[in-house]
Amino acid sequence: MIDSALIFIQSRLDQYLKNKFGLDEGVTVLNNLVDASGSVSQKNQNKVVITLINLEQETSKQFYGGKNRNTTQVTNMMPSVHFNLDVLFTANFDSYDESLKFLTATVAFIQPETSFNRKNQPELPAGITALKFEIENSPYEKTHNLWSALGAKYQPSIIYKIRHVSVQAEQILGTVASVQQTSSEAAPS
């Protein structure tokens, strides 16, 4: 689901930016800022780069589940694991003005609807019920440390925490027949 969530966001943002600026080609990419050798990826040139920078398990809420019911049986499954994703949106353009323009447009894309759900985004991938966005405010030192850890030079960017992305292996632990009628329904009067 992590990949599906990020690909969906990238696709929606790309369409928004193409419409907003009348572009024929896409201007977003889901990618690392630098490749494994430490070089800046040419794929990122003049793009808004979307990068997963942290993944944390959601522990503040209790998530129930693990049972799937239908008319004939109850299936016991391991409960889903829920994550919060820290995602970096970087405007990587040759012109600083263009970088600022696309960063502003990226914020404007998320700002009116900070929660993507089936009602406002009916094309959400199967298994995702909502994506909730929160801006991560980072002090200068934390930002500096992040960019150093990424091995990249700072570019205009923003970090969003995207809450409640679930991963479910759908591994069945067992099934039992569901109750079709109660004894009081079965006994004649």
Side-chain angles (χ1 to χ4, degrees), residues 54-115:
N54 192 37
L55 181 68
E56 64 183 28
Q57 184 177 3
E58 174 62 70
T59 57
S60 64
K61 279 189 164 184
Q62 291 237 328
F63 292 98
Y64 298 99
K67 299 205 184 303
N68 187 4
R69 301 173 200 272
N70 65 30
T71 56
T72 60
Q73 65 184 5
V74 176
T75 304
N76 189 18
M77 302 173 80
M78 290 297 294
S80 298
V81 180
H82 302 273
F83 292 98
N84 297 323
L85 314 178
D86 288 336
V87 179
L88 178 68
F89 292 82
T90 306
N92 186 25
F93 291 83
D94 293 336
S95 163
Y96 190 71
D97 291 348
E98 283 292 292
S99 292
L100 295 177
K101 177 176 92 173
F102 278 93
L103 181 61
T104 301
T106 298
V107 172
F109 163 70
I110 297 169
Q111 183 266 332
E113 293 180 16
T114 57
S115 179

Side-chain angles (χ1 to χ4, degrees), residues 2 6 9-10 13 27-34 44 47-55 84-92 102-103 106-107 110 133-139 142-162:
I2 296 167
L6 293 176
I9 292 165
Q10 185 255 332
L13 176 59
V27 291
T28 65
V29 63
L30 184 59
N31 200 15
N32 292 315
L33 289 174
V34 295
N44 298 349
K47 303 279 184 191
V48 174
V49 184
I50 302 168
T51 307
L52 176 66
I53 58 170
N54 192 37
L55 181 68
N84 297 323
L85 314 178
D86 288 336
V87 179
L88 178 68
F89 292 82
T90 306
N92 186 25
F102 278 93
L103 181 61
T106 298
V107 172
I110 297 169
F133 293 80
E134 293 176 13
I135 293 173
E136 273 292 301
N137 291 317
S138 298
K142 188 174 177 183
T143 301
H144 174 74
N145 291 341
L146 170 66
W147 283 87
S148 295
L150 293 172
K153 302 277 187 204
Y154 178 79
Q155 295 284 327
S157 58
I158 189 167
I159 300 171
Y160 279 95
K161 183 175 291 292
I162 303 170

Side-chain angles (χ1 to χ4, degrees), residues 3-4 6 22 58 64 71 105 115 123 125 132 139 141 152 158 163 168 187 189:
D3 58 331
S4 298
L6 293 176
E58 174 62 70
Y64 298 99
T71 56
S115 179
E123 302 85 16
K132 299 174 184 178
E141 294 81 16
I158 189 167
R163 295 195 173 276
Q168 172 56 265
S189 308

